[in-house]
Amino acid sequence: MKITLPASNRTVPIGKLLCIGRNYAEHADEMGSDVPDEPMVFLKPASAVIRTGEAVRLPSQSQDVHHEVELVAVIGQGGRNISRADAPDHVAAYAVGLDMTARDIQSKAKENRHPWSVAKGFDTFAPLGPLTDADAVGDSQDLTLQLRVNGDTRQKASTQHMIFPVAELVHYCSQIFTLAPGDLLYTGTPSGVGPVEAGDELVATGTGCEPLRVSVTR
Ligand code: MN
């Protein structure tokens, strides 16, 4: 799948999905987890991405799929060992995204000290909203993220509460992975995560970003 970067109008394939766990203290708390002292990174496959208007498909292997609304930073300029100061130059766009999670599979993986790839990586588990040029979004650390399910607000928080801000995450990740245009950084979810059911309609918003709308199907 390809995305078009807003300012340059360049179309690139979606690359790596770098996802951050426990990046809001209240969410770490609701999961019974400690706040990490460095970013907690996991990967999702690009095959998990769907766009606005499409549907999250509940896999038969899980009985408990949760929503996690997140700000997504879209990499427009690649690099490695990117400094915190240079990080904004590498982010072309922002979008609202959902890090769909099979919570029952993840809980079992945690118990067994297994990776989260299955819990996080099913097809349709990485909805990505429309891309907005980073310059038009303004301060990425002062946005309100919100998720409504069937009209009810389930998650609402400011990105001010991120433990590791976007620039720190770009810096950190780029010391491990060479970043490339089309890579997506899912920056972690605030509190209020919970289950979705077939028939649900999800609307995720972020200040300055266009909304992400997805339905849930079996
Ligand atoms: Mn997440």
Side-chain angles (χ1 to χ4, degrees):
M1 186 187 293
K2 292 183 174 182
I3 50 175
T4 300
L5 304 173
S8 62
N9 233 6
R10 202 153 52 110
T11 298
V12 294
I14 293 175
K16 301 179 279 303
L17 275 61
L18 302 162
C19 305
I20 309 302
R22 300 171 194 163
N23 202 24
Y24 291 80
E26 282 183 16
H27 172 62
D29 192 53
E30 75 180 345
M31 299 304 296
S33 304
D34 291 330
V35 169
D37 53 16
E38 62 181 340
M40 209 273 274
V41 184
F42 61 93
L43 297 166
K44 280 193 193 228
S47 50
V49 174
I50 58 170
R51 304 305 304 273
T52 195
E54 297 188 301
V56 171
R57 238 183 11 257
L58 300 174
S60 60
Q61 296 94 326
S62 173
Q63 310 311 316
D64 192 27
V65 173
H66 278 203
H67 55 75
E68 296 189 356
V69 68
E70 309 198 355
L71 179 67
V72 180
V74 180
I75 302 298
Q77 185 193 325
R80 57 192 312 270
N81 297 326
I82 298 164
S83 70
R84 294 172 184 85
D86 287 347
D89 298 341
H90 294 260
V91 177
Y94 286 98
V96 181
L98 289 163
D99 168 19
M100 302 305 297
T101 303
R103 197 68 75 197
D104 46 356
I105 296 175
Q106 187 195 34
S107 298
K108 197 175 281 183
K110 285 179 180 175
E111 259 172 52
N112 294 326
R113 300 182 176 213
H114 287 171
W116 295 0
S117 307
V118 173
K120 295 283 194 177
F122 284 100
D123 285 357
T124 76
F125 267 29
L128 174 69
L131 274 47
T132 301
D133 182 59
D135 293 333
V137 168
D139 183 359
S140 61
Q141 301 312 135
D142 192 19
L143 308 180
T144 300
L145 286 175
Q146 185 165 10
L147 176 72
R148 294 187 191 85
V149 179
N150 305 325
D152 296 333
T153 299
R154 296 277 186 88
Q155 295 188 266
K156 187 176 182 181
S158 169
T159 56
Q160 286 173 2
H161 300 302
M162 279 186 197
I163 296 167
F164 302 105
V166 174
E168 179 69 28
L169 296 173
V170 168
H171 167 66
Y172 182 87
C173 290
S174 73
Q175 295 174 82
I176 303 161
F177 311 98
T178 297
L179 300 188
D183 287 349
L184 305 177
L185 175 61
Y186 283 66
T187 58
T189 194
S191 61
V193 302
V196 297
E197 291 174 15
D200 283 350
E201 298 288 338
L202 279 55
V203 181
T205 56
T207 316
C209 299
E210 284 182 65
L212 162 65
R213 298 168 195 279
V214 291
S215 55
V216 180
T217 181
R218 210 165 265 296

